[in-house]
């Protein structure tokens, strides 16, 4: 992965020495793995080492700028002046003339005594966008953060239609960010994930930032995609200086990653002139090493530096190397247990059961809890409840091949082994798995035990529908003999047909304790 091969923790600390949560190294690595696991186009995972590192440097240069060196989870003008009341964040939206950039205080709220609708296009409605709602300012001009769609995250996701698209891509539900857009400012996976979503999927003039790096070798094209309306070209004032800051941050990332040259910058009008003037007047000190170094040339001989070129005391690099060597080549350690070695640690705890070893083992926490309903983290990317008809349905089917002996829905692994493991507990009764060892197909074959919340398929679908054999749901079995003709006292000579009547009932519900989320 990019974090194993190119972006070490030491390199990240050198590129972003002032970063604050939610912009952490681990959060970035997890977000990249999560996005790539569910998309064909891979962020920083396509092409040779030079192209991967060049795209990463371009992403980091832009996101450093958009987030003020990874210090601002929320847009300053909209929520730099904020307060917390009963655990909820309230923002005082401001105009630039009323905002003190030193203290981050606003002297006049844009929401004073009226509804606030900035960044919400009322003509855009579901399913294309989140509803605008009625964000109301209080007497002192503060508005609940979760009611506004201003800029948040690594590339400052903004507007109600962008929040809905990002929500679907990152959470599987379009409503997650519509109901609480402030999740993008508070949770690492979404703060980074929203930036990745924009980088990979936002299209302008028929191209994305991802495509600009891989096919056009052009950093300028990424800027045009992100903020071209204001910076391509930049006309005086703040944006003229902002372009120089953005360039210097891009050069810093490229320098730390050991890149021999930059990508082209002509994809943004006026950027080439800004680059030369910025290096000439000393405002782009990080770019001096790249001046006239063949921008856009594909350097096939590039290899990532063995260690960060900047000395840092944050990371004990030898210990990190020693931990990595615990796993065989091609496998990587799970951060919660280095002895758990898997092809992709990000699959652990993602809310979708990977039923086979090495994931579904005791060392790996039984896939981080994903394979048992009682331990699966509902806040994970798949959320333990993916349905066939949902956005992530193409990745299924998903079941619950629970082999954790502490859980009530566990199966007997050595008895229920020669099966399609992802079909156990998927909601569709499979007669061949309807045995005690397989926990009666994970509960799928009894109407009372089929879990409509967690099932991938609608309960009761399939050729067998419900074929309940679980004794826990069989109340009694009666044998009734019917004679061929009425008789007050049936005898053995009567012609009879034996009919079995199975009466089922629902047992008292049992409470399954859920441990803290695995991620």
């Amino acid at each position: 992965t990019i974090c194993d091969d190119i972006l070490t923790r030491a390199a990240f600390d050198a590129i972003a020495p002032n970063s604050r949560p939610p912009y952490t190294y681990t959060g970035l690595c997890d977000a990249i793995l999560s996005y790539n696991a569910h998309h064909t186009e891979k962020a920083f995972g396509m092409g040779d080492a030079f192209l991967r590192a060049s795209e990463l440097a371009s992403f980091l240069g832009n996101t450093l700028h958009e987030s003020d060196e990874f210090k601002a989870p929320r847009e300053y003008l909209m929520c730099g002046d904020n307060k917390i009341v009963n655990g909820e964040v309230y923002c005082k939206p401001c105009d630039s003339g009323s905002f003190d950039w030193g203290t981050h205080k606003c002297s006049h709220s844009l929401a004073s005594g009226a509804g606030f609708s900035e960044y919400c296009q009322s003509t855009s409605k579901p399913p294309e966008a989140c509803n605008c709602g009625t964000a109301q300012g209080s007497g002192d001009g503060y508005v609940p953060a979760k009611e506004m769609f201003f800029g948040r995250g690594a590339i400052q996701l903004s507007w109600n239609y962008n929040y809905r698209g990002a929500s679907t891509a990152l959470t599987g539900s379009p409503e997650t960010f519509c109901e609480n857009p402030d999740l993008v400012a508070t949770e690492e996976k979404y703060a980074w994930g929203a930036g990745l979503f924009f980088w990979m999927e936002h299209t302008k003039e028929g191209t994305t930032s991802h495509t600009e790096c891989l096919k056009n070798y052009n950093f300028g094209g990424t800027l045009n995609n992100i903020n071209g309306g204001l910076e391509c070209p930049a006309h005086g004032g703040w944006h003229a200086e902002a372009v120089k800051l953005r360039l210097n941050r891009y050069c810093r990332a490229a320098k730390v990653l050991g890149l021999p040259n930059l990508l082209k910058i002509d994809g943004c009008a006026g950027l080439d002139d800004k680059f030369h003037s910025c290096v000439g007047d000393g405002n782009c000190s990080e770019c001096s090493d790249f001046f006239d170094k063949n921008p856009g040339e594909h350097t096939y001989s590039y290899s990532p530096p063995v260690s960060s070129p900047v000395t840092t005391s944050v990371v004990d690099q030898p210990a990190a190397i020693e931990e990595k060597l615990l796993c065989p080549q091609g496998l990587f350690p799970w951060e919660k247990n280095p002895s758990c070695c898997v092809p992709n640690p990000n699959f652990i705890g993602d809310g979708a059961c990977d039923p086979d070893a090495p994931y579904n083992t005791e060392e790996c926490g039984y896939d981080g809890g994903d394979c048992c309903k009682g331990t699966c983290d509902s806040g994970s990317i798949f959320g333990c409840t993916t349905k066939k008809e949902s956005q992530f349905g193409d990745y299924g089917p998903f079941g619950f091949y629970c082999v954790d002996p502490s859980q009530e829905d566990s199966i007997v692994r050595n008895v229920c082994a020669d099966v399609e493991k992802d079909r156990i507990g998927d909601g569709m009764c499979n007669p061949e798995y309807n045995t005690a060892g397989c926990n009666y197909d994970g509960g799928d074959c009894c109407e009372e035990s089929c879990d409509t919340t967690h099932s991938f398929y609608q309960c009761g679908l399939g050729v067998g529908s419900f074929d309940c054999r679980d004794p826990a749901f069989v109340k009694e079995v009666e044998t009734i003999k019917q004679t061929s003709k009425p008789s007050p006292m049936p005898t053995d000579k009567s012609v009879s047909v034996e009919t079995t009547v199975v009466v089922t009932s629902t047992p008292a519900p049992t409470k399954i304790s859920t441990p803290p989320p695995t991620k």
Side-chain angles (χ1 to χ4, degrees), residues 18 62 83 124 187 189 299 310 331 368 391 457 477 493:
N18 299 312
N62 278 300
K83 63 181 180 178
S124 297
E187 295 199 18
K189 60 183 177 182
T299 306
V310 179
L331 300 180
Q391 182 203 13
Y457 297 105
V477 178
K493 294 182 180 179

Side-chain angles (χ1 to χ4, degrees), residues 84 94 103 106 118 163 173 211 239 256 259 326 418 493 503:
I84 300 177
C94 203
T103 62
C106 178
E118 290 288 325
Y163 270 90
S173 168
T211 301
H239 292 295
V256 170
L259 286 165
L326 289 174
D418 189 20
K493 294 182 180 179
V503 182

